[in-house]
Amino acid sequence: MILPAEKELRAVLARFAQARIEHDVRPTGCTSRALEDVTYTLCVMTGARTAEQALLTADTLLAKYAGRTSVSREDETLAA
């Protein structure tokens, strides 16, 4: 599996959370499609078959990212 960039993974997780909230508050066909779309994207990114597996994998990946010791060139640029 190709590991997703941390920034991209966090962005998809944020989209997933927003879609989940919107669908739970006011379920419509539009919110359902948005949730299905972002769930599919999250599953593809993490190599998972279900949303639950994708979220667990994303948590594991984020923990690995948090534990890294080197700073990438992109991180240095953003921190400046």
Side-chain angles (χ1 to χ4, degrees):
M1 175 177 86
I2 297 174
L3 294 179
E6 180 180 8
K7 182 170 84 172
E8 300 302 321
L9 181 59
R10 288 184 183 279
V12 171
L13 285 169
R15 281 182 44 216
F16 177 84
Q18 185 64 37
R20 180 82 249 173
I21 290 167
E22 287 178 5
H23 185 68
D24 286 348
V25 171
R26 278 200 187 93
T28 65
C30 185
T31 61
S32 178
R33 284 187 299 278
L35 182 58
E36 287 175 16
D37 179 51
V38 73
T39 300
Y40 174 80
T41 302
L42 184 59
C43 286
V44 169
M45 274 185 127
T46 59
R49 291 189 171 266
T50 66
E52 291 79 16
Q53 290 173 342
L55 292 170
L56 288 172
T57 301
D59 283 344
T60 302
L61 288 171
L62 290 175
K64 286 181 183 179
Y65 293 140
R68 68 180 172 206
T69 56
S70 64
V71 176
S72 72
R73 187 76 180 138
E74 182 179 318
D75 290 339
E76 288 176 356
T77 303
L78 292 176

